[in-house]
Amino acid sequence: MSVHGRCFPYEKSIVINALYDTIEALGLCLDNSDSVRGRLAVSGAGQTGKMRIVLSVAGKAEGTQVDIFLESSDKDAGDAWSTVVFDELAATIKKACHVRRNCTKEEEI
């Protein structure tokens, strides 16, 4: 089992909501989730592979650590999937922040 991780400079609630959107956007299946503990079990379409995603507070800094535990015998495919998930998650968060800033600006007008 390989593990990949990345820290995002956002609260856990923001990251987990973006992660749900990411899972849906990528066409992955959410098999199980515990949003209070920040744990998700995800499988690929056609059950090609499984991953566990764990969110935790990143040390003393404000941020959320996201770790992906890949349960695949194909290391290259697992590495590729974790990269795709992290890239899509970052894009989803960035898009949400951009939309929120635009909404805030419109409200001020």
Side-chain angles (χ1 to χ4, degrees):
M1 180 184 306
S2 59
V3 181
H4 301 273
R6 189 179 291 177
C7 185
F8 293 87
Y10 303 98
E11 294 177 3
K12 185 177 170 184
S13 61
I14 293 170
V15 176
I16 199 161
N17 284 324
L19 194 51
Y20 286 128
D21 291 342
T22 297
I23 290 166
E24 183 178 348
L26 293 174
L28 299 173
C29 300
L30 181 62
D31 299 329
N32 188 7
S33 71
D34 183 345
S35 52
V36 173
R37 290 185 179 197
R39 297 171 190 242
L40 296 93
V42 178
S43 59
Q47 301 294 323
T48 56
K50 294 184 180 268
M51 63 182 93
R52 288 184 300 117
I53 303 173
V54 179
L55 286 76
S56 58
V57 177
K60 294 181 181 180
E62 290 184 22
T64 302
Q65 176 68 30
V66 179
D67 292 311
I68 298 177
F69 298 85
L70 300 160
E71 299 174 8
S72 173
S73 57
D74 185 352
K75 185 181 181 319
D76 292 335
D79 291 346
W81 264 113
S82 63
T83 300
V84 169
V85 170
F86 284 133
D87 288 348
E88 184 68 25
L89 178 56
T92 300
I93 292 171
K94 186 175 183 178
K95 180 176 145 186
C97 289
H98 178 71
V99 168
R100 182 175 177 156
R101 275 192 285 266
N102 285 343
C103 290
T104 304
K105 288 178 184 176
E106 289 173 7
E107 290 170 359
E108 291 173 358
I109 295 175

